Amino acid sequence: MTLAACLARIDEVNRQDPKQELDKDGNSIPACLLYGQRMSAALATFKPDASEVLQIAVRAQHIERWHIARKESPMDRPGYLRWRQELAKHHAELCASIMASCGYSEQETEQAKVILRKQQLKKNPDSQCLEDVACLVFLEYYFADFAKSHSEDKIISIVQKTWRKMSEHGQAAALQLPLAEQELSLVQKALAS
C-alpha cells in the first residue's frame, strides 16, 4: 500500500464526523476531515520534506475525535487534560492500526504513536513538528472564533502557553500567518506580556 492509500483511509474515517464546518468556499465538510486536510497543507508548507510517518501522523491528529466527547470528562483543567490524553491515545492506536493495514512496519506504527501522543516534545523533532503544525492551524483557522467566546486575558494566556510549546521555527512561521488585525493584536499583546 502507499502513503496515498493510508491518508485516504484516515480521511474515510474522518468523513464520518457528525460535526460539519465550512471550508473556504462555503462547502459543508465533516470537521475532522477538514482539520486533517488543513494539517497536511500546513505541514507541506512548514516542512515539505516530512517523512511519510510524519505526514500520516499529522493527518491523523484528530482522527475520530468525536469518539470521546469532552462532556464525558469533568469540565475542569484536570478533566480537560485527561480527555486530551485519552484522545491522543485513541488517535495513536487507530492511526497505527490503519498504517499496519497499509503495510507499514511495527517500527513505523510505533513512531507514529509517539508523534501523536506528542511524546518527547522539544526532543523528538517529529513530535515537535506535529505540535508546531497544530498550533499554526489553530492560529490560522480557529483562533478568531475561539477569541470571540473568551476574555482577552484568557486568550492572551492561551497564546502564551501555545507559544511556549512551539519551536523557534514554528514561532517564526506563526508570525507570518495572515491573521486579521484583531487576532494579530492579541498575539502581539501575548508576546509583549
Side-chain angles (χ1 to χ4, degrees):
M1 290 259 164
T2 64
L3 171 63
C6 192
L7 297 178
R9 287 190 181 180
I10 292 168
D11 288 351
E12 186 180 320
V13 172
N14 280 337
R15 260 192 198 85
Q16 299 169 39
D17 187 352
K19 182 180 176 189
Q20 298 284 307
E21 288 186 8
L22 298 179
D23 68 6
K24 64 179 178 164
D25 299 322
N27 300 311
S28 184
I29 295 179
C32 286
L33 177 64
L34 181 59
Y35 180 82
Q37 292 169 347
R38 287 172 170 169
M39 288 287 288
S40 289
L43 177 67
T45 299
F46 183 70
K47 187 171 174 55
D49 61 343
S51 69
E52 287 191 16
V53 171
L54 180 55
Q55 290 179 61
I56 293 165
V58 162
R59 185 68 146 254
Q61 159 80 351
H62 280 179
I63 189 167
E64 207 177 63
R65 189 171 204 229
W66 65 92
H67 183 73
I68 303 173
R70 171 67 181 99
K71 65 184 178 188
E72 292 175 13
S73 298
M75 298 305 281
D76 56 10
R77 180 103 175 119
Y80 171 75
L81 295 174
R82 193 165 40 255
W83 171 70
R84 290 283 302 266
Q85 280 185 327
E86 288 176 27
L87 274 176
K89 182 179 177 188
H90 178 72
H91 300 324
E93 294 299 329
L94 183 52
C95 178
S97 173
I98 290 170
M99 288 178 72
S101 74
C102 290
Y104 286 92
S105 70
E106 185 176 344
Q107 180 183 359
E108 290 167 319
T109 62
E110 286 301 316
Q111 185 182 356
K113 287 162 73 173
V114 166
I115 296 168
L116 281 162
R117 290 190 300 252
K118 296 182 185 175
Q119 293 175 314
Q120 304 166 351
L121 277 183
K122 305 289 184 185
K123 294 179 183 175
N124 180 325
D126 287 343
S127 295
Q128 185 60 55
C129 186
L130 174 69
E131 181 67 34
D132 286 341
V133 171
C135 291
L136 292 169
V137 167
F138 169 74
L139 287 169
E140 184 169 0
Y141 296 103
Y142 303 97
F143 182 49
D145 284 341
F146 186 82
K148 290 175 188 170
S149 58
H150 295 86
S151 71
E152 184 172 297
D153 287 345
K154 180 168 182 157
I155 295 301
I156 287 171
S157 172
I158 288 169
V159 169
Q160 289 169 337
K161 289 175 188 168
T162 299
W163 208 257
R164 284 192 294 271
K165 291 190 283 184
M166 297 176 80
S167 68
E168 287 184 14
H169 180 52
Q171 292 168 349
L175 292 173
Q176 300 302 313
L177 290 173
L179 299 178
E181 189 175 324
Q182 184 175 354
E183 287 74 54
L184 182 58
S185 173
L186 287 167
V187 169
Q188 289 169 339
K189 284 180 184 178
L191 299 183
S193 298

